[in-house]
Amino acid sequence: MGLDGEMKINGKEDDDLKAPLLKPSEDVAITVFPGKGDKKVRTVKFKIGEIKCTSCSTSIESMLGEVHGIESAVISPLDGRAAITYVPELVDVNKIKETIEDAGFPVDEFPEHDIEVCRLRIKGMMCTSCSESVERVLLMTDGVKKAVVGLALEEAKVHFDPNLIDTDGILEAVQDAGFGAELISSGNDMNKVHLKVEGFNFAEDGDMIQSCLESTPGVNHVEVDLAEHKVTVCYDPDLIGPRSIIQRIGDASSGPNIYHAELYVPPRRRETEQLQEVRMYRNQFLLCCLFSVPVLVFSMVLPMLHPYGNWLEYRIHNMLTVGMLLRLILCTPVQFIVGRRFYVGSYHALRRKSANMDVLVALGTNAAYFYSVYMVIKAIMSDTFEGQDFFETSAMLISFILLGKYLEVVAKGKTSDALAKLTELAPDTAHLVTVDSDGNVVSEMDISTELIQRSDMIKIVPGEKVPVDGIVIDGQSYVNESMITGEARPIAKRPGDKVIGGTMNENGCILVRATHVGSETALSQIVQLVEAAQLSRAPVQKLADQISKIFVPTVVIAAFITWLGWFIPGEAGLYPKHWIPKAMDGFELALQFGISVLVVACPCALGLATPTAVMVATGKGASQGVLIKGGNALQKAHKVKTVVFDKTGTLTVGKPEVVSAVLFSSFSMEEFCDMVTAAEANSEHPIAKAVVKHAKRLRQKIAPSAEYIAEVKDFEVHTGAGVSGKVGDRNVLVGNRRLMQACNVSVGSEVENYIREHEQLARTCVLVAIDGGVAGAFAVTDPVKPEAECVISFLRSMGISSIMVTGDNWATASAIAKEVGIEKVFAETDPLGKADRIKDLQGKGMTVAMVGDGINDSPALVAADVGMAIGAGTDVAIEAADIVLIKSNLEDVVTAIDLSRKTMSRIRLNYVWALGYNILGMPIAAGVLYPFTGIRLPPWLAGACMAASSLSVVCSSLMLQSYKKPLRVRDRAS
């Protein structure tokens, strides 16, 4: 296959290769240059105050450039955002901060230096009390700055100072608290490759490979496992790739020792551990049944089947019967071997001065078991004693609790199904091709997707998945992106178009150059974002957290009061004797009621009510192209009553086109186009790009042979108005009417008529002033998105009002608003003014969502209660937004709000069930109905109810998996 289209897009392609996928917050363009050689570099980002113009940022950049150890410094003149890349061995962050402050500029939002992040898998958490205990232990550990523990996800995210503690110390702290802990990832795991190495058997070989790799530019960290013959390498994909690392290991061979490395893919830990947990609970339940079922048969079934159960009444010694002895023998392994987990959990909980579900189960089963042992001892020592044991209570209680936990773990596993499907989207292998200098394919080989490096050329045939993010170099096809963006229709791809890893190539063969690999791909970013969202807590969960602190002590007190409430009146003869069942006395009846209260209360259901719903909702949203950044964003979105839309790129398509260009001066069109092109060349605004494109096209028509772009000096961006600069010896202004007024440029009647005529057609007029006079103008149109009117109407039916805010003029803005059905408009507003408008709306008590495309919208996205970045594409990590909409489709705004409403409704239902269950279940277990109806809840049945309550909450959350988008404009149209 030839590569004819490659040369046409080299410039664009190089930009894409260099552009970081993780854009910084506030949408400021920050360039980060990697360190050269083997120097380890870091980047610190913060905000500098009192940046008034480009000269301020330039002076700070030049000053920092003189500091030894600083590799690069880039500062945005718009809002003072700074990204400083430095070598930690040569300079520290405090020196950087002091240098800027000594120059007279205040430093804001300065991060604590050397803070790293790791994720842990936590084992043994049963309820909210457990997760709070882990969080408390972590926060009390020296060096830990922040810790968040997710109960449903069974993970913890820890921010720590590596100078004070390492990941081993954090794991040890969790394990000392009585919980299992494993490291999932640390801060330097973003790009990691696992290799199996043949040919090294001694420690010297491992040292040789490690030193060879550590001296390689781009390698950040190396771990060698001599026993398993494995090497794990963390690397910088800008400098090196996995195939180069494998080659480097081969080059380290010396003499008879020849090293051969190949890719090793470790099993997916989450799925493996989930299967192990399911298997563990299943095996424990079956082992428990092996003993508890015979206990149940010997105590409740055979005695009712005369004469088959008569042998159980045979006395061995005094009043000790065969049945009693068998029940003791069978129940003891259940209590102390199968039930050991409850003793261990209780011990660690009490040692932490807290209480959890293990404490309740241990108290309840111990009360039943040891009372029964007391009955056995009395039966052995007396020949007249008559009493009943409760061995079946203890055994069946543990059995039902284990059954409930088994079913709960199976159901909880399904809450992360959407995330699991996302992680499996990327194909295992890819076709790597090599091209010659003429662009012809000379070789082709299949390699693992994990071995793809940046700039590799990949061939994708019909029916295969795209392995990594990249740019189409040659060929045409349609690509199905529904698994990433939720877009049902295949998207046409031609040379120069971007493709997303994990999507399906439909019908054409295409060559793709890899631009983002490993953890930088959109798919990896989505998975990371969803995992972080599932770990975060919704504010509504505070209710469960507060209840959990007093839940277990309250239940224990209630159980003791229940026992006293039945035992004392029984001894005093305050209720009829016939209330007491046969073969039972008043103490035993009171004990059964007390045990039932202990085991029927379920703190687990409360703890799972919110996180399971958030897990399912965030996963489901991701599969629909709606990325919700956690429970807080989810909860805020359901309260939204006002949505503020940006115009350009949000309500409109975002691809402006110039439809008219006129001159109002004696300048020639050729000279006019040259000046406009020079002045606007450095602007990133879509309208500016459209003007430059049109001016170049006009220039080519006039003089096809010449293409010269003059250099602009003193270039300055006037936020929300335009740009200015000096082209040659002429001062040039390009922008709207506000820029002309601010620079005292008079706008004549001819120009006013031109503006008025086009603004009535919903077009934006860009004026060009040269040396203080309007020299010409461009009329730019940006068509409205086809679904905009339907979305605004649907939002109105949901009780949500829509407002448009734009930097464009009033006439154009009003025309667009009328077309889509928006009644309230704020026009001629700069980016900071947009944020002020939102704050004004919030001051009136409104919960406001801001929808923007991320260009100049960051202040407003941050100011809004819910910021939605639309049309993110592969840039899913827009920090200023609470919700990221991958597609540029306004339907997803409705989806995000509707999904949040459905989720919050489900969470409330979960709480009603969990709280209602405990509020109703405990009085019934305490025997409130017994005097009137004779209905009594035996302890083993109470345990079954407790297990069912947790299961029911998880299953309720799983109902969100059936969520469907409420609005599909294309479906309506068809």
Side-chain angles (χ1 to χ4, degrees):
M1 178 184 281
L3 300 177
D4 300 333
E6 182 175 358
M7 297 301 293
K8 297 177 184 177
I9 57 169
N10 272 342
K12 178 183 176 184
E13 173 192 305
D14 291 342
D15 291 342
D16 282 312
L17 288 172
K18 294 173 184 175
L21 183 63
L22 280 170
K23 297 276 182 73
S25 62
E26 308 290 84
D27 228 42
V28 178
I30 294 180
T31 308
V32 179
F33 299 95
K36 302 293 186 286
D38 59 353
K39 289 184 291 187
K40 303 295 187 295
V41 296
R42 289 182 181 170
T43 300
V44 61
K45 297 178 183 179
F46 50 88
K47 191 172 183 178
I48 302 173
E50 298 183 11
I51 298 288
K52 296 182 174 64
C53 59
T54 308
S55 61
C56 295
S57 59
T58 305
S59 64
I60 298 173
E61 286 173 5
S62 59
M63 185 172 51
L64 289 172
E66 297 172 1
V67 177
H68 182 56
I70 293 181
E71 293 284 303
S72 70
V74 181
I75 298 159
S76 168
L78 292 177
D79 57 4
R81 289 277 168 187
I84 315 297
T85 304
Y86 66 100
V87 182
E89 289 82 359
L90 302 178
V91 66
D92 62 17
V93 288
N94 289 325
K95 172 67 174 175
I96 297 170
K97 182 181 179 183
E98 288 169 9
T99 303
I100 296 169
E101 289 177 335
D102 289 345
F105 295 94
V107 176
D108 301 323
E109 301 176 21
F110 196 75
E112 290 189 75
H113 67 286
D114 290 343
I115 297 299
E116 293 186 4
V117 181
C118 68
R119 284 173 57 227
L120 311 177
R121 174 92 63 227
I122 309 294
K123 298 180 179 178
M125 294 192 298
M126 305 290 284
C127 57
T128 311
S129 178
C130 297
S131 61
E132 283 188 340
S133 297
V134 175
E135 202 167 290
R136 190 163 55 247
V137 165
L138 286 170
L139 291 172
M140 291 171 61
T141 304
D142 190 32
V144 173
K145 303 298 181 183
K146 181 182 176 183
V148 180
V149 180
L151 173 64
L153 203 58
E154 296 183 335
E155 288 183 11
K157 187 175 182 181
V158 185
H159 299 248
F160 64 98
D161 186 344
N163 299 316
L164 299 177
I165 194 170
D166 57 12
T167 52
D168 291 335
I170 294 170
L171 290 172
E172 188 178 342
V174 176
Q175 289 162 354
D176 287 345
F179 297 93
E182 290 181 4
L183 184 67
I184 298 175
S185 66
S186 57
N188 58 0
D189 285 355
M190 294 303 290
N191 286 283
K192 176 187 275 191
V193 63
H194 302 271
L195 303 172
K196 190 99 171 176
V197 183
E198 296 177 3
F200 83 95
N201 302 300
F202 303 101
E204 292 80 6
D205 295 326
D207 293 340
M208 172 76 74
I209 292 172
Q210 185 165 355
S211 60
C212 178
L213 289 174
E214 286 180 342
S215 64
T216 303
V219 173
N220 298 327
H221 182 67
V222 181
E223 291 179 10
V224 177
D225 186 344
L226 183 63
E228 296 289 331
H229 294 244
K230 292 173 186 172
V231 176
T232 304
V233 184
C234 299
Y235 63 94
D236 183 347
D238 289 325
L239 301 177
I240 197 170
R243 294 202 312 281
S244 303
I245 292 171
I246 290 174
Q247 184 180 350
R248 191 80 174 115
I249 291 174
D251 294 342
S253 303
S254 60
N257 295 331
I258 298 175
Y259 307 131
H260 174 69
E262 59 184 22
L263 184 69
Y264 164 73
V265 182
R268 286 194 176 98
R269 187 177 294 179
R270 182 192 293 271
E271 288 82 352
T272 304
E273 290 181 351
Q274 207 169 65
L275 286 172
Q276 287 176 347
E277 190 177 17
V278 169
R279 199 175 293 121
M280 182 266 291
Y281 276 114
R282 185 197 64 194
N283 292 342
Q284 283 198 341
F285 170 66
L286 293 176
L287 177 63
C288 193
C289 287
L290 187 65
F291 295 99
S292 57
V293 170
V295 170
L296 181 68
V297 171
F298 293 156
S299 61
M300 301 183 71
V301 179
L302 285 179
M304 299 172 65
L305 300 175
H306 298 288
Y308 304 107
N310 293 347
W311 61 277
L312 292 171
E313 300 301 323
Y314 178 78
R315 294 180 185 178
I316 299 172
H317 179 72
N318 286 341
M319 299 301 291
L320 177 66
T321 64
V322 171
M324 191 177 289
L325 181 62
L326 286 174
R327 289 193 290 271
L328 171 64
I329 293 170
L330 291 169
C331 184
T332 300
V334 176
Q335 184 69 31
F336 297 108
I337 297 176
V338 179
R340 179 178 178 273
R341 56 178 290 110
F342 301 114
Y343 286 105
V344 173
S346 300
Y347 165 73
H348 288 298
L350 294 173
R351 199 183 71 170
R352 296 189 303 268
K353 297 180 181 177
S354 66
N356 58 10
M357 192 195 82
D358 289 333
V359 174
L360 295 178
V361 175
L363 279 174
T365 56
N366 277 342
Y369 178 81
F370 285 109
Y371 177 75
S372 300
V373 170
Y374 169 73
M375 291 289 102
V376 171
I377 295 171
K378 290 275 285 183
I380 293 172
M381 298 178 66
S382 171
D383 57 357
T384 59
F385 173 78
E386 288 187 8
Q388 184 181 5
D389 63 83
F390 299 124
F391 285 119
E392 79 283 354
T393 295
S394 168
M396 294 306 296
L397 183 55
I398 291 173
S399 298
F400 276 113
I401 289 170
L402 289 175
L403 174 62
K405 289 301 293 182
Y406 166 68
L407 296 173
E408 181 187 323
V409 168
V410 171
K412 274 168 64 178
K414 294 184 184 299
T415 61
S416 56
D417 273 357
L419 187 60
K421 287 176 183 175
L422 282 172
T423 59
E424 294 169 1
L425 282 178
D428 295 328
T429 59
H431 306 299
L432 176 69
V433 298
T434 308
V435 296
D436 58 20
S437 57
D438 297 326
N440 298 311
V441 175
V442 294
S443 69
E444 180 180 333
M445 63 182 291
D446 287 350
I447 63 166
S448 170
T449 301
E450 294 192 22
L451 293 179
I452 297 175
Q453 300 181 174
R454 189 171 290 175
S455 298
D456 278 347
M457 202 78 73
I458 307 296
K459 185 174 89 170
I460 306 164
V461 300
E464 286 189 344
K465 288 182 178 179
V466 179
V468 293
D469 296 354
I471 298 174
V472 177
I473 298 300
D474 190 41
Q476 296 185 11
S477 182
Y478 281 87
V479 175
N480 183 353
E481 298 181 347
S482 61
M483 59 288 294
I484 300 290
T485 66
E487 176 60 61
R489 295 189 307 175
I491 308 298
K493 298 293 180 182
R494 297 177 178 81
D497 290 341
K498 292 182 180 180
V499 290
I500 304 173
T503 56
M504 179 68 74
N505 183 28
E506 293 277 337
N507 55 10
C509 185
I510 53 176
L511 282 189
V512 172
R513 175 163 288 175
T515 57
H516 298 96
V517 297
S519 63
E520 296 179 337
T521 64
L523 184 59
S524 295
Q525 299 279 11
I526 290 169
V527 170
Q528 291 169 33
L529 192 149
V530 174
E531 284 179 338
Q534 292 181 346
L535 197 57
S536 69
R537 289 182 180 176
V540 70
Q541 196 173 341
K542 290 178 181 177
L543 173 65
D545 295 342
Q546 291 168 352
I547 293 174
S548 69
K549 293 175 183 176
I550 60 168
F551 189 89
V552 175
T554 302
V555 170
V556 173
I557 292 169
F560 183 69
I561 291 172
T562 299
W563 177 75
L564 284 179
W566 280 97
F567 176 64
I568 293 174
E571 291 297 305
L574 297 179
Y575 61 76
K577 292 292 183 184
H578 69 265
W579 283 10
I580 303 174
K582 291 181 180 179
M584 196 182 288
D585 59 23
F587 176 84
E588 293 167 352
L589 179 65
L591 182 65
Q592 288 237 340
F593 280 127
I595 293 171
S596 293
V597 170
L598 273 178
V599 297
V600 80
C602 184
C604 299
L606 275 172
L608 293 170
T610 299
T612 53
V614 170
M615 280 182 70
V616 177
T618 50
K620 188 64 180 178
S623 68
Q624 305 272 9
V626 177
L627 304 179
I628 302 170
K629 294 186 178 180
N632 192 29
L634 200 63
Q635 184 167 341
K636 282 182 178 178
H638 95 283
K639 298 178 181 176
V640 167
K641 291 297 179 187
T642 302
V643 178
V644 177
F645 291 93
D646 179 45
K647 181 180 76 70
T648 305
T650 303
L651 288 171
T652 63
V653 175
K655 295 180 180 177
E657 290 185 355
V658 176
V659 293
S660 170
V662 296
L663 291 172
F664 297 113
S665 64
S666 59
F667 288 100
S668 68
M669 184 61 77
E670 183 180 346
E671 189 178 9
F672 176 73
C673 289
D674 284 342
M675 290 190 186
V676 171
T677 303
E680 288 276 52
N682 294 323
S683 177
E684 289 296 315
H685 199 280
I687 292 178
K689 290 182 177 180
V691 168
V692 169
K693 182 179 177 181
H694 186 80
K696 284 182 177 179
R697 193 162 57 233
L698 271 179
R699 181 70 167 74
Q700 280 293 102
K701 286 182 180 178
I702 298 167
S705 58
E707 183 172 342
Y708 167 71
I709 300 177
E711 185 180 353
V712 63
K713 296 179 181 178
D714 300 329
F715 177 78
E716 188 174 352
V717 175
H718 301 269
T719 308
V723 298
S724 64
K726 197 165 186 178
V727 181
D729 58 352
R730 297 186 182 278
N731 292 313
V732 180
L733 299 173
V734 184
N736 55 25
R737 192 166 7 194
R738 271 191 299 139
L739 179 63
M740 303 298 138
Q741 291 171 351
C743 297
N744 298 317
V745 176
S746 61
V747 179
S749 59
E750 185 183 4
V751 179
E752 285 285 2
N753 291 334
Y754 178 84
I755 293 172
R756 192 179 305 109
E757 176 189 342
H758 286 280
E759 284 182 350
Q760 288 173 355
L761 298 172
R763 295 171 180 171
T764 302
C765 289
V766 178
L767 305 180
V768 181
I770 301 175
D771 290 338
V774 178
F778 296 90
V780 183
T781 183
D782 188 5
V784 170
K785 289 179 180 176
E787 74 274 9
E789 185 179 1
C790 188
V791 167
I792 300 301
S793 174
F794 197 90
L795 286 172
R796 193 179 297 115
S797 70
M798 294 172 68
I800 298 172
S801 60
S802 299
I803 297 173
M804 186 175 80
V805 59
T806 178
D808 214 336
N809 61 80
W810 277 100
T812 303
S814 300
I816 295 286
K818 185 178 180 181
E819 186 176 347
V820 299
I822 292 178
E823 296 175 358
K824 194 168 185 178
V825 180
F826 296 121
E828 299 181 5
T829 309
D830 61 21
L832 294 176
K834 293 178 184 179
D836 292 336
R837 295 291 188 184
I838 286 172
K839 289 173 185 175
D840 291 342
L841 293 169
Q842 290 169 330
K844 297 175 183 177
M846 298 180 185
T847 302
V848 182
M850 170 69 194
V851 184
D853 62 358
I855 300 172
N856 294 331
D857 294 328
S858 295
L861 290 173
V862 172
D865 296 289
V866 181
M868 297 187 191
I870 192 169
T874 57
D875 181 24
V876 300
I878 299 174
E879 293 180 24
D882 301 298
I883 298 174
V884 178
L885 311 176
I886 297 178
K887 297 198 303 296
S888 188
N889 194 322
L890 288 169
E891 295 169 19
D892 289 341
V893 175
V894 174
T895 302
I897 296 173
D898 184 67
L899 179 59
S900 72
R901 289 185 175 184
K902 293 282 196 306
T903 305
M904 291 309 300
S905 175
R906 183 61 56 177
I907 289 173
R908 290 192 196 97
L909 183 64
N910 288 350
Y911 273 127
V912 167
W913 171 249
L915 285 170
Y917 161 81
N918 283 292
I919 291 168
L920 293 175
M922 285 177 66
I924 294 172
V928 170
L929 299 179
Y930 187 63
F932 311 105
T933 63
I935 294 175
R936 182 168 62 89
L937 199 64
W940 62 269
L941 189 57
C945 291
M946 181 190 72
S949 68
S950 296
L951 182 64
S952 64
V953 166
V954 177
C955 290
S956 171
S957 295
L958 284 172
M959 295 291 287
L960 285 168
Q961 286 189 340
S962 61
Y963 175 82
K964 287 183 172 55
K965 289 187 176 185
L967 176 63
R968 289 183 183 270
V969 175
R970 291 192 186 93
D971 292 350
R972 286 185 166 198
S974 60

